[in-house]
Amino acid sequence: MALHNVLRSFSELQFSCTYAKSFVRRLRGYRYQPEHQAVPKKLLDQFRENPRENVASPAIEEYNPEELQAARRFKFVHPEFMPASDPEHRDPVRELLEREDMMKRRAKLDIPEFYVGSILAVTLSDPYADGGESKFVGICIERSETGLKHNFVLRNYIDNQGIEIMYELYNPTIKKIEVIKLEKRLDEELLYLRDAPPEYSEVPFDIEAIPHPRGAPVPINPIKVKLNPRPWRERWERSNLIGFEIMENCVTPKMWKKAQLKENCKPWERYDLVKKYRESVPLKDQDEAYVHFTREHARVEKEKVASLDRQLKAKENDSDVTE
């Protein structure tokens, strides 16, 4: 009993100390800063003191309508260049430096266009694998984060076991990203495949790539995934996803009623303009980021073409010397 009282008093003291620290931080105007940042804080401070004009984001007045229209189309193709939606984590300087590093990585690695629902094959440098590299094939079920921390998840069903691997898109150990089948799904995430039969996730490793015509629209796969009987990992009947079907007698009328109440329990949020502002990025900031990406992307593509021309000329010169 005495030991129980001592532990209880210790836990209360620990809680009070934690609350006091948070209260002092609020008085000092403390703001949360994420522990993991792709760009170090020292580099950010150095850039603020001596900004480089060659990587400065273009002013909004410099945009022409054609360039702006082309840049806005990239928002859905390359979502990783979208600025952070949380205003507390926004840092234009960090985002600018991250975009510069992302374009340097794109100059070394060909990152294709893909969406949630596409079938990908990722080759990764692995010193412990045969040949020094490993390859995984799967369906992209999620894309998250922005900037250098952008990642995607591939899922496959191998040896009666569901396997998921998360890759950081700009990870320097990635050697190749191949799009086996380019397509979209009805939802922006396919996490409900974890509670679906294996045939919806199974992809053979020797599958042949299906070429997609250049300039053709990306097809949308209208398949409806039939979920397994409960229990599930999440309450899918309460989600706003439309790409799955629930079997009969899996959800009781009481559960459906609760799901409907959850959807309609806060009807005023539709008119909450402040909440929408906090959860979205201003259009001006989006245009600045993607116009900068469009210009850098064109520059990187020109450099790739120039390097290929130099390699071809070098091979022709070597062949002439040998003859």
Side-chain angles (χ1 to χ4, degrees), residues 74-107:
F74 279 114
K75 295 179 184 179
F76 308 99
V77 181
H78 304 291
E80 67 270 17
F81 288 91
M82 181 71 69
S85 59
D86 192 345
E88 292 188 359
H89 300 165
R90 291 293 309 279
D91 192 336
V93 177
R94 177 183 58 80
E95 293 169 357
L96 189 62
L97 293 176
E98 283 192 3
R99 288 199 299 269
E100 186 185 27
D101 290 343
M102 291 158 70
M103 295 310 301
K104 288 181 180 178
R105 178 59 179 160
R106 281 180 172 269

Side-chain angles (χ1 to χ4, degrees), residues 260-319:
Q260 293 175 0
L261 287 175
K262 184 177 180 182
E263 291 180 0
N264 303 323
C265 62
K266 298 180 181 179
W268 60 85
E269 288 187 352
R270 293 187 301 169
Y271 310 101
D272 191 353
L273 300 180
V274 177
K275 181 183 178 183
K276 292 182 180 179
Y277 174 76
R278 288 173 182 157
E279 294 179 351
S280 60
V281 181
L283 184 61
K284 178 182 177 181
D285 296 343
Q286 296 181 25
D287 292 340
E288 288 181 358
Y290 279 95
V291 167
H292 183 234
F293 162 74
T294 305
R295 296 177 179 179
E296 291 296 315
H297 180 70
R299 180 185 60 81
V300 169
E301 292 298 325
K302 288 181 180 179
E303 290 180 356
K304 287 183 179 179
V305 172
S307 64
L308 289 175
D309 292 340
R310 287 194 296 268
Q311 292 177 5
L312 291 174
K313 290 181 180 179
K315 289 182 179 179
E316 291 177 357
N317 295 331
D318 293 340
S319 62

